[in-house]
Structures are given as C-alpha cells and as structure tokens.
C-alpha cells in the first residue's frame, strides 16, 4: 500500500495561487487513480480533482478553469495547481491514492485564502 504526503498549503490572498504536492512512496503513482479532496470547517469532504492512470481528469464545478491536477512520474508526485483562489477555497486539502485493492489518504494540508 502506498503512503502519500501532502505539502504546499499555506496562506494566499484572493486571486492568488498555490501549488499542492502529493508525494508517494511504496507504489508507482502512474498506475493509480489519484484525487485531491478538501474539507472546510463544518462541511463534508468533497472531491476537488481526480486523475486516472490513463490521464483522464475530472474537476468539481467550482474549480473548473482555476485548478489543474497533474502528475510527474519521474518524482512520483501528483500536483494541484490552484489559481484565482477564492476565500471559498479555504479548507484542508487531502490527497488520496486508489488501487483496485486499497485506498490511502494523506494527512492533509491547510489552505487559507484571505479576501
């Protein structure tokens, strides 16, 4: 089972950018389905973006055109580039790796967007 560790969160101003990283150990990310989720205070965790092993991407409507999920197989890392950030993007962001047999979550990284 893979272990994933997120990094790159922090404080940004409205309209700014952040890039989150999800580094994996124990498995090759290129064969997994990778997802970025977020959970805001008092809300349920939601899927933000997903990248399949074949390279297909999906995004929740609120981030389409602003966020981009990508993968660098050379460093076994998945990224979430977040542009045009809004205060509503404030949440803890989690990385999830999924195989046919298991799913593995990271510990999360806080993203705070000020208006």
């Amino acid at each position: 089972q893979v272990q994933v560790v997120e990094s790159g969160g922090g404080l940004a101003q409205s309209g700014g950018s952040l890039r989150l990283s999800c580094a994996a150990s124990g498995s090759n990310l290129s064969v997994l389905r990778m997802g970025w989720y977020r959970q805001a205070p008092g809300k349920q965790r939601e899927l933000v973006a997903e990248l399949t092993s074949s390279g297909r991407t999906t995004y929740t409507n609120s981030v389409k055109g602003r966020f981009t999920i990508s993968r660098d197989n050379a460093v076994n890392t998945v990224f979430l580039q977040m542009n045009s950030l809004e205060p509503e993007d404030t949440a803890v962001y989690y990385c999830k790796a999924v195989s046919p047999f298991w799913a593995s979550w990271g510990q999360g990284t806080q993203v705070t967007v000020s208006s």
Side-chain angles (χ1 to χ4, degrees):
Q1 184 170 348
V2 70
Q3 291 185 324
V4 294
V5 178
E6 305 96 333
S7 62
L11 178 64
Q13 291 187 333
S14 183
S17 299
L18 287 173
R19 188 176 79 155
L20 305 183
S21 299
C22 173
S25 60
S27 184
N28 186 345
L29 284 183
S30 66
V31 301
L32 304 175
R33 187 171 82 243
M34 302 299 299
W36 282 99
Y37 291 73
R38 67 186 179 188
Q39 187 167 19
K43 295 187 177 181
Q44 290 188 331
R45 189 173 298 188
E46 65 169 348
L47 175 64
V48 175
E50 191 171 60
L51 174 63
T52 69
S53 58
S54 63
R56 190 171 74 174
T57 59
T58 57
Y59 299 91
T60 191
N61 285 338
S62 63
V63 309
K64 285 181 180 177
R66 301 189 297 122
F67 290 10
T68 303
I69 188 171
S70 63
R71 179 174 59 216
D72 187 338
N73 293 335
V75 293
N76 216 30
T77 299
V78 172
F79 302 97
L80 184 68
Q81 179 66 44
M82 305 186 296
N83 298 328
S84 301
L85 284 164
E86 303 169 354
E88 293 73 23
D89 296 316
T90 295
V92 178
Y93 285 70
Y94 298 90
C95 177
K96 181 182 180 183
V98 181
S99 84
F101 311 104
W102 46 258
S104 181
W105 290 91
Q107 83 289 350
T109 185
Q110 176 71 46
V111 171
T112 302
V113 183
S114 62
S115 57

